[in-house]
């Protein structure tokens, strides 16, 4: 089949499945918003339990990581992510999912060489480049002030 690049592009566009972009955006907004509402409710609960604002924030972060890790282990977070898309990438829950998922995937290789060694395959580069970016930002900020 001989086609020009333009003909091939037209051929692909005619047969490509249309992306439900507005549905995806709405679901991401709703799911991400609900995760944030859950986080606020947890923080309010910790505050009502007597923690000061800073300690309640720390306890909330720990609670969200625990919930996300538990849901990932039960394969519920992945189901939510398939339905809610990018809304599940809310930083703290998405990060916990990114650490727990590889650990579960590689548990058959053993505790040290499997789970412990592979748990940061997804999140590791985020940590490294996030730290590097913050150092560069700090140096630029220091030099410009």
């Amino acid at each position: 089949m001989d086609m020009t690049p333009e003909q091939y592009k037209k051929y692909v566009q005619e047969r490509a499945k249309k992306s439900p972009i507005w549905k995806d955006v709405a679901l991401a907004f709703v799911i991400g918003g609900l995760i944030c509402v859950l986080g606020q409710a947890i923080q309010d609960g910790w505050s009502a339990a007597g923690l000061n604002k800073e300690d309640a924030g720390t306890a909330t972060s720990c609670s969200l990581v625990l919930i996300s890790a538990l849901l990932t282990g039960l394969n519920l977070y992945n189901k939510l992510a398939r339905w809610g898309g990018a809304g599940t990438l809310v930083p703290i829950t998405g990060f916990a999912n990114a650490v727990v998922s590889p650990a579960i995937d590689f548990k058959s290789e053993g505790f040290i060489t499997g789970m412990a060694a592979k748990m940061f395959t997804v999140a590791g580069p985020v940590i490294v480049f996030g730290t590097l970016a913050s150092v560069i930002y700090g140096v630029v900020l220091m030099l410009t002030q």
Side-chain angles (χ1 to χ4, degrees):
M1 198 172 180
D2 250 351
M3 290 184 164
T4 65
E6 293 81 21
Q7 290 172 323
Y8 180 73
K9 183 177 179 181
K10 182 180 176 189
Y11 174 80
V12 170
Q13 286 176 342
E14 289 172 355
R15 283 158 182 77
K17 183 180 173 188
K18 302 297 180 212
S19 175
I21 187 76
W22 294 110
K23 176 185 156 229
D24 292 347
V25 168
L27 283 172
F29 178 78
V30 169
I31 296 301
L34 288 174
I35 291 172
C36 292
V37 167
L38 174 65
Q40 186 62 54
I42 291 171
Q43 184 170 10
D44 291 346
W46 285 117
S47 293
L51 296 179
N52 64 39
K53 187 175 181 177
E54 185 177 333
D55 291 340
T58 301
T60 300
S61 296
C62 293
S63 299
L64 286 171
V65 166
L66 176 68
I67 291 168
S68 177
L70 181 64
L71 291 176
T72 299
L74 296 172
N75 200 31
L76 297 174
Y77 199 90
N78 293 335
K79 290 178 183 178
L80 179 65
R82 279 190 206 108
W83 189 71
T88 58
L89 296 177
V90 174
I92 197 154
T93 57
F95 186 78
N97 175 261
V99 171
V100 173
S101 288
I104 291 170
D105 291 342
F106 292 101
K107 71 180 177 182
S108 63
E109 294 182 20
F111 183 75
I112 302 296
T113 59
M115 287 176 54
K118 306 284 175 105
M119 72 185 337
F120 290 106
T121 56
V122 175
V126 174
I127 295 169
V128 169
F129 290 111
T131 304
L132 179 62
S134 67
V135 168
I136 292 169
Y137 176 75
V139 169
V140 169
L141 188 63
M142 183 183 71
L143 294 174
T144 60
Q145 288 187 343

